Amino acid sequence: MLKVTSYNMRKAVGTDRRRRPERTLEVLREIDADIVALQEADRRFGRREAVLTPHLLSEHSDYQAVPLSVRAHSMGWHGNVLLVRRDAQILDAEVIHLPALEPRGAVVADLRVGGRAVRVVGMHLDLSGLWRRRQAHAIMAHLDATARPLPTVLMGDLNEWWSAAGCLRDFGRCFTLAETGPSFHARRPVGKLDRIMVSSDVAIGDCGVHDSMAARTASDHLPIWAELRL
């Protein structure tokens, strides 16, 4: 089984309005996933520096960040970051440029974890339903254009409230949605804004929302997770 998680970490600013990256890493240690998709992992303005620095990752986690080499001080692309365990092999990685009125993007990586290859997409979609649908189509078009098909996992903050509408209906034509549950707002979760989706050659086992004391204060989103069989 492969365990994955998606987490809008809100630049490590918690519901107490304090920026504590170590608390974000504490939540990730509690989940203990093999692959992590983070959103809002970089600061929004200026040099858009990474909140989880390489030093913090090496000292306080077992993860490595999938390298993208887009900005000198950022870890990801428009705040999207993929983390994998240090013994995982990164076969390929790139950014996906998304149509948007404000800066939005997605990241995709081909990984080898436990001897099995898997393709993972991390995303943070627009607040506008029209632009979310355009972004969903851009991601699926990018995947369709890849020369080598692989079992695929899509994760992120989709900002879509209804599973039968908008971009989720578009994704649902090709991908299966994990029924993880509501993850927003962390203090009183009612919205299923964060999602995990898989291609037809991936089976979903247990899945859910990680609701711990640390998670309820580390961000305004709770992390979601799923156990998958390739």
Side-chain angles (χ1 to χ4, degrees), residues 131-144:
W131 286 101
R132 283 197 298 272
R133 296 196 67 185
R134 291 175 177 174
Q135 291 162 1
H137 284 282
I139 291 169
M140 289 187 288
H142 184 95
L143 294 175
D144 289 341

Side-chain angles (χ1 to χ4, degrees), residues 146-157:
T146 56
R148 181 191 178 198
L150 285 174
T152 302
V153 183
L154 285 70
M155 300 187 284
D157 179 357

Side-chain angles (χ1 to χ4, degrees), residues 51-115:
V51 176
L52 299 178
T53 64
H55 173 74
L56 278 174
L57 281 180
S58 63
E59 289 293 322
H60 300 284
S61 82
D62 294 324
Y63 291 112
Q64 59 176 321
V66 172
L68 296 168
S69 302
V70 180
R71 294 189 178 95
H73 301 281
S74 298
M75 182 180 292
W77 172 243
H78 292 307
N80 292 285
V81 170
L82 294 175
L83 302 179
V84 295
R85 296 193 189 277
R86 293 176 192 169
D87 59 355
Q89 184 180 1
I90 301 169
L91 306 176
D92 192 18
E94 59 183 324
V95 303
I96 304 176
H97 296 271
L98 299 182
L101 291 175
E102 61 180 35
R104 294 284 178 176
V107 293
V108 56
D110 293 350
L111 309 168
R112 190 176 300 280
V113 183

Side-chain angles (χ1 to χ4, degrees), residues 10-88:
R10 198 194 185 194
K11 305 170 186 64
V13 177
T15 53
D16 57 3
R17 299 184 181 182
R18 297 180 180 178
R19 190 188 306 277
R20 294 179 55 194
E22 296 86 353
R23 184 168 53 186
T24 302
L25 293 175
E26 178 186 350
V27 174
L28 295 182
R29 285 195 297 271
E30 291 176 349
I31 302 169
D32 194 28
D34 300 295
I35 303 172
V36 179
L38 296 175
Q39 302 87 50
E40 298 192 21
D42 294 338
R43 294 175 184 261
R44 185 175 179 84
F45 302 109
R47 297 191 299 178
R48 300 185 182 180
E49 296 174 321
V51 176
L52 299 178
T53 64
H55 173 74
L56 278 174
L57 281 180
S58 63
E59 289 293 322
H60 300 284
S61 82
D62 294 324
Y63 291 112
Q64 59 176 321
V66 172
L68 296 168
S69 302
V70 180
R71 294 189 178 95
H73 301 281
S74 298
M75 182 180 292
W77 172 243
H78 292 307
N80 292 285
V81 170
L82 294 175
L83 302 179
V84 295
R85 296 193 189 277
R86 293 176 192 169
D87 59 355

